[in-house]
Amino acid sequence: MIDQPNSPLRQRMIEDMASRRFKEKVQKDYIRHVRNFAVFLARSPDTATAEDVRLYQLHLAEQKIGAPSVNAAVAALRFLFNVTLERPELARHLAGVHMPRRAPVVLSQDEVSLLLDAAPGLKYRAAFGVAYGAGLRVSEVVALKVSDIDSQRMTLRVEPGKGQRDRYVMLSPQLLEWLRDWWRAARPQAWLFPGQNPVNPMSARQLSRVVRETAREAGIAKRVSPHTLRHSFATHLLEQNVDIRVIQVLLGHAKLETTALYTRVAVNTIRDIASPLEKLKDLVGRVQHA
């Protein structure tokens, strides 16, 4: 059984994930989803049939499990069947749930200024500045090292980014000044934003909590997270007419269609586009007087 700590199946699946360098969190999530499947079956997953897979998906639907959780379970079971059990015929019966992409929450530049001004101290002002000024994910912000700052080339090295893709992003003079203020005050040695124990970086949860609290204190009514700052970075660049493919590289997106989502919220860009009706203005006037 996969839920037994020392079961051969569990150990093999862990080894399969480790050999592919899955992150520890992903490994734990996959094991949890496969364990849930085993509990549903009341026997080991290596005895599963196509009908078992169908019934389990029906069970998830009846339990009104959210689409993200269903898709995570599907990903875990696909890995189990395709890789660990080498039974791809079962994986073919798994179907994910379509999730409509909602337009992201974006702050105005005034709201970003309010948030940065309200940051509780140099550390968080610098961390907020990195999230907005360089468009980093919260996991990337907290994983930054002092050595990732290149003040000569004015870049930040993001290592490792999502999907293990390293990249460089711009380092603005204003952000560099805030980072230097923070470094002079705290002298961090390895991690740019260390946690309570300097051996470890600040947690993503901690940074997210402080962002939410700061937004409330600043009087920002929108639901704000570190990812909101990343969304705002991309949207504001698009409104400045920065090429969308450049924004894609800065964000570390594998697909352009992911970056294109920001065209739905780039208000300045939308507002500045001339409606085709304007081209008919003179013609409409002539028709009326004919």
Side-chain angles (χ1 to χ4, degrees):
M1 294 284 286
I2 197 76
D3 57 337
Q4 296 173 349
N6 298 318
S7 75
L9 178 58
R10 178 191 178 104
Q11 185 59 37
R12 182 176 176 182
M13 185 172 176
I14 290 173
E15 291 171 355
D16 288 339
M17 291 187 288
S19 67
R20 289 160 177 77
R21 300 188 180 183
F22 283 19
K23 291 184 177 180
E24 184 178 353
K25 182 182 183 304
V26 175
Q27 294 187 35
K28 289 181 178 178
D29 287 345
Y30 273 30
I31 291 295
R32 175 170 54 83
H33 285 298
V34 175
R35 183 172 61 243
N36 291 342
F37 180 56
V39 170
F40 172 80
L41 291 179
R43 64 182 194 275
S44 178
D46 59 6
T47 66
T49 65
E51 180 65 9
D52 291 328
V53 173
R54 187 187 74 82
L55 290 174
Y56 185 60
Q57 291 183 105
L58 181 61
H59 166 73
L60 294 178
E62 291 173 344
Q63 296 297 311
K64 301 190 184 303
I65 305 297
S69 295
V70 171
N71 291 339
V74 166
L77 293 176
R78 278 180 178 155
F79 184 88
L80 172 72
F81 295 141
N82 282 323
V83 179
T84 301
L85 294 179
E86 297 182 349
R87 297 183 63 190
E89 72 280 2
L90 290 184
R92 288 197 293 270
H93 293 277
L94 290 163
V97 178
H98 174 68
M99 293 188 294
R101 302 207 65 172
R102 296 180 178 178
V105 174
V106 173
L107 301 179
S108 69
Q109 291 185 325
D110 287 343
E111 288 170 329
V112 173
S113 296
L114 283 174
L115 186 71
L116 293 171
D117 285 342
L122 298 176
K123 178 179 183 178
Y124 288 104
R125 184 180 66 175
F128 293 4
V130 169
Y132 173 70
L136 269 59
R137 303 175 178 92
V138 63
S139 60
E140 295 169 343
V141 174
V142 298
L144 283 174
K145 301 180 180 68
V146 175
S147 57
D148 291 328
I149 302 172
D150 188 339
S151 59
Q152 298 297 316
R153 298 175 62 197
M154 294 301 288
T155 59
L156 285 173
R157 177 185 171 91
V158 183
E159 176 193 11
K162 186 176 181 181
Q164 304 299 311
R165 294 184 297 270
D166 299 348
R167 70 185 189 280
Y168 286 91
V169 296
M170 72 280 221
L171 173 61
S172 76
Q174 177 64 78
L175 179 54
L176 178 59
E177 181 181 330
W178 288 349
L179 291 173
R180 282 174 169 167
D181 288 343
W182 161 238
W183 186 85
R184 282 192 291 262
R187 300 281 173 166
Q189 296 301 305
W191 301 109
L192 183 56
F193 303 114
Q196 291 184 341
N197 183 346
V199 174
N200 301 315
M202 173 171 55
S203 70
R205 179 177 295 181
Q206 169 71 6
L207 181 55
S208 298
R209 181 182 63 80
V210 175
V211 168
R212 289 194 301 270
E213 291 175 353
T214 304
R216 284 197 297 268
E217 292 172 3
I220 299 172
K222 297 173 182 174
R223 186 174 181 178
V224 181
S225 71
H227 219 68
T228 308
L229 293 172
R230 175 174 160 87
H231 291 324
S232 302
F233 162 86
T235 304
H236 295 167
L237 285 182
L238 195 60
E239 291 178 339
Q240 294 168 24
N241 296 319
V242 175
D243 188 280
I244 194 169
R245 292 190 181 275
V246 174
I247 300 174
Q248 177 191 3
V249 172
L250 292 172
L251 293 174
H253 284 162
K255 298 179 180 179
L256 183 62
E257 65 189 52
T258 307
T259 315
L261 178 67
Y262 296 108
T263 59
R264 295 166 56 182
V265 288
V267 177
N268 290 350
T269 302
I270 294 170
R271 186 176 55 223
D272 291 343
I273 297 173
S275 166
L277 183 61
E278 292 299 308
K279 303 293 184 181
L280 302 179
K281 198 165 47 177
D282 294 337
L283 178 60
V284 170
R286 289 200 300 270
V287 171
Q288 289 177 341
H289 291 93

